[in-house]
Amino acid sequence: VRRIRPRLRREAAPAKPRPARIGILADPDGTQAAMIADLGAVLAPGLPVEALAGKRGAVADLLSRPSADAAIVSSLAVDEAKRSADRLVYVAKLFTQELHAVAKTDVARLEDLAGKPVYVGPKGSDTAAAAEALLAARAVPVAPVRGSFEDAMVAVREGTIAAAFVLAPKPFAPLASIEAAEGLRLVPLDYRTSDERFHPAALAAEDYPGLVRESGRVGTVALDAILIAPRWRESSPRQKELVAFARTLLERAPALTREGRHPKWRDVNAAAEVAGIRRLRAAQEWVQAKLRDNQRLSGRPAARQRVGEVR
């Protein structure tokens, strides 16, 4: 019986040594800029972080661009990358990202967008995957508009497109700064039991005072954000770089919850697992050691430790 070994990424002999830095792929619509900046602040100065502009989609870019060390992708992207699962590992499940749909106040529900031009995000982006999946599930056909989120918001204000979708961890700064006088709103995208690939979520007035009525909430759906990396050979210098990055990040993770960082970092539970993709072994060993330490200190079995206790 012939054994088929999983294909691991091979390293071409570099013409010159790689700079000591971590390249993290950013979604084409810029929704992860604040999160990558937070990672850079925590890892500095030992591991400088460089945000790399996405092109074809995070998973495809991660597996083809030599400068890419990691990427923050949605659980939907991980699920759709099953063919490449043996070439990827995850470092940690991070936080949830909410799907936002911004429109003029005359758009009361998702069905009002049927047949209209709607910004669904750059091709290959997590926003596009989430928006298109939800619209298909709701049987709401739209005329998809691409381009940048900034241009899309201008078009929504001018009335040339009906709405703009964006998948981002709340509060998303470009939306949080919108004032009520602009006449925009968040369209309800209420979770349904058939939405198996999403989580139920809500956007509140405290997140978006100009888009949600005071004390109000708007239902929506969310996806997990996952930090993934290529799966290198154990003896590879790139694997050693990845291990150093993962361990440093996990050790310094509590600093991500300090004042001035995005509030979503407070939701990270390093022990959370991701189905369908293996975890980087060094990260798994770190988590298991922390769980044992917590169990020794608290007296509770690791399986009963709540979210947030492994940091």
Side-chain angles (χ1 to χ4, degrees):
V1 178
R2 183 184 176 188
R3 296 181 64 186
I4 300 176
R5 298 180 179 178
R7 292 182 303 161
L8 305 187
R9 289 197 62 181
R10 295 182 179 274
E11 262 187 299
K16 56 183 179 179
R18 275 169 40 91
R21 65 98 182 99
I22 295 296
I24 301 181
L25 285 164
D27 217 37
D29 51 15
T31 56
Q32 296 162 355
M35 316 310 287
I36 293 176
D38 286 346
L39 289 175
V42 167
L43 293 170
L47 286 172
V49 168
E50 178 184 359
L52 306 176
K55 296 178 180 179
R56 297 187 299 157
V59 173
D61 283 347
L62 187 61
L63 294 175
S64 62
R65 294 174 62 178
S67 57
D69 296 291
I72 299 174
V73 302
S74 73
S75 48
L76 192 59
V78 170
D79 190 43
E80 292 179 350
K82 289 179 179 177
R83 291 184 179 179
S84 302
D86 63 342
R87 302 171 65 195
L88 298 166
V89 292
Y90 77 96
V91 176
K93 181 189 285 189
L94 301 179
F95 38 74
T96 56
Q97 302 181 98
E98 290 77 18
L99 187 60
H100 306 65
V102 189
K104 290 286 188 69
T105 52
D106 58 348
V107 177
R109 57 197 188 115
L110 187 64
E111 289 73 13
D112 293 340
L113 301 178
K116 298 177 181 178
V118 173
Y119 175 77
V120 296
K123 191 173 182 61
S125 68
D126 280 344
T127 288
E132 290 166 359
L134 187 74
L135 289 166
R138 298 287 191 273
V140 178
V142 301
V145 176
R146 305 292 179 181
S148 72
F149 179 71
E150 292 79 8
D151 290 344
M153 287 305 300
V154 171
V156 170
R157 289 181 173 96
E158 293 176 346
T160 56
I161 67 174
F165 280 92
V166 64
L167 181 74
K170 68 174 185 180
F172 182 47
L175 299 184
S177 62
I178 292 176
E179 298 180 358
E182 295 186 52
L184 301 177
R185 66 173 296 174
L186 287 167
V187 181
L189 307 173
D190 294 305
Y191 175 84
R192 296 178 182 176
T193 54
S194 57
D195 295 332
E196 297 178 353
R197 305 176 84 179
F198 293 96
H199 304 305
L203 307 171
E206 63 190 54
D207 303 314
Y208 303 107
L211 295 172
V212 181
R213 288 181 299 178
E214 187 176 357
S215 314
R217 292 165 66 84
V218 174
T220 189
V221 295
L223 293 168
D224 294 320
I226 302 165
L227 181 62
I228 66 170
R231 183 183 171 212
W232 300 99
R233 296 185 182 277
E234 288 298 325
S235 59
S236 165
R238 293 296 294 272
Q239 177 70 1
K240 293 176 182 177
E241 293 173 3
L242 176 58
V243 167
F245 160 63
R247 286 176 176 164
T248 303
L249 175 59
L250 290 168
E251 290 292 344
R252 298 183 184 178
L256 287 167
T257 64
R258 292 176 184 167
E259 192 71 27
R261 312 278 191 232
H262 196 288
K264 276 287 185 176
W265 291 116
R266 299 169 195 154
D267 297 341
V268 176
N269 171 26
E273 297 181 347
V274 179
I277 181 174
R278 72 182 68 194
R279 194 196 288 261
L280 177 69
R281 187 168 69 179
Q284 183 65 24
E285 290 172 350
W286 185 94
V287 167
Q288 290 172 343
K290 284 294 181 182
L291 285 171
R292 287 194 296 269
D293 289 346
N294 284 2
Q295 181 177 353
R296 186 171 60 253
L297 293 172
S298 68
R300 283 206 318 275
R304 294 180 58 188
Q305 293 179 22
R306 297 195 305 272
V307 169
E309 291 186 336
V310 178
R311 287 266 171 84

